[in-house]
Amino acid sequence: AQSVTQLGSHVSVSEGALVLLRCNYSSSVPPYLFWYVQYPNQGLQLLLKYTTGATLVKGINGFEAEFKKSETSFHLTKPSAHMSDAAEYFCAVSDRTSGSRLTFGEGTQLTVNP
Amino acid sequence: GAVVSQHPSRVICKSGTSVKIECRSLDFQATTMFWYRQFPKKSLMLMATSNEGSKATYEQGVEKDKFLINHASLTLSTLTVTSAHPEDSSFYICSASELGREASYEQYFGPGTRLTVT
């Protein structure tokens, strides 16, 4: 079985500050890892994903995440927050035995203060 | 590319009636479509997985007779909430994985449907 834990249901940063959203996973096999963003009353948009290869993954809108196997983590970062980054962020894991089936974390609401 | 649409985006129905939600992949063929339910301020809960031409696989605790899923073609899946009750009110989101790109394990999400049962 696989699971995802997102530490901090709410994160608040100032505009221009570093964004760090934490994600830890549990998987019995090497995982595929994803970060999605959701704006109010909308579906999910893929920010970035890790499957194989380079452990530092760059995504859209200036976000990046690093897969750390030893820490079972896949934290999402952005050097400088914009007001438009305010949204709900979900970390998800898919293992290779379950096809495309995703297991989501509980989500982190990011607030960006002016 | 890889756009998924849902219709309607918002629906209000009376208790006891049925409502159908459509999920379409607009520019690709979808091997598999997934239906999720999202409660306010909560994460996505997978309800069922459907493959074109076969019966959907429901997650534990999801009533298959209440949430009917039909995956008639490689671009269309429908979710019918039968005999809806207020507790079925929720945000329903579908997603699809692309035929031939299953190895990417990527899902493309629709914009969601807000169901309110009065």
Side-chain angles (χ1 to χ4, degrees), chain A residues 32 34 36 38 41-44 46 49 51 90 94-96 98-102 104-107, chain B residues 10 34 36 38 42-44 46 59 91 93 97 101-107 109-112 114:
Chain A
Y32 287 169
F34 304 81
Y36 288 90
Q38 184 181 33
N41 295 309
Q42 294 186 27
L44 274 66
L46 180 68
K49 65 179 180 181
T51 53
F90 293 97
S94 173
D95 76 44
R96 303 168 196 195
S98 64
S100 300
R101 192 174 184 276
L102 292 174
F104 285 90
E106 288 297 309
Chain B
R10 186 178 293 267
F34 304 84
Y36 296 87
Q38 186 177 31
K42 294 291 186 182
S43 188
L44 280 72
L46 180 65
E59 296 298 303
F91 194 54
I93 304 175
S97 58
R101 297 195 69 238
E102 294 84 349
S104 73
Y105 291 90
E106 185 169 341
Q107 294 182 25
F109 285 81
R114 173 75 59 193

Side-chain angles (χ1 to χ4, degrees), chain A residues 7-97:
Chain A
L7 294 176
S9 58
H10 291 85
V11 170
S12 182
V13 301
S14 298
E15 191 174 17
L18 171 71
V19 175
L20 171 61
L21 304 183
R22 299 178 186 274
C23 172
N24 288 88
Y25 69 91
S26 172
S27 178
S28 57
V29 297
Y32 287 169
L33 296 159
F34 304 81
W35 274 100
Y36 288 90
V37 61
Q38 184 181 33
Y39 296 97
N41 295 309
Q42 294 186 27
L44 274 66
Q45 180 183 11
L46 180 68
L47 281 176
L48 48 80
K49 65 179 180 181
Y50 168 79
T51 53
T52 58
T55 56
L56 181 62
V57 180
K58 294 185 184 300
I60 62 171
N61 301 339
F63 285 94
E64 62 182 39
E66 186 171 11
F67 169 58
K68 291 187 177 181
K69 183 179 178 181
S70 61
E71 298 178 8
T72 60
S73 69
F74 191 56
H75 302 329
L76 182 71
T77 61
K78 182 173 180 177
S80 177
H82 294 164
M83 297 296 290
S84 59
D85 294 327
E88 186 86 19
Y89 291 80
F90 293 97
C91 182
V93 62
S94 173
D95 76 44
R96 303 168 196 195
T97 62

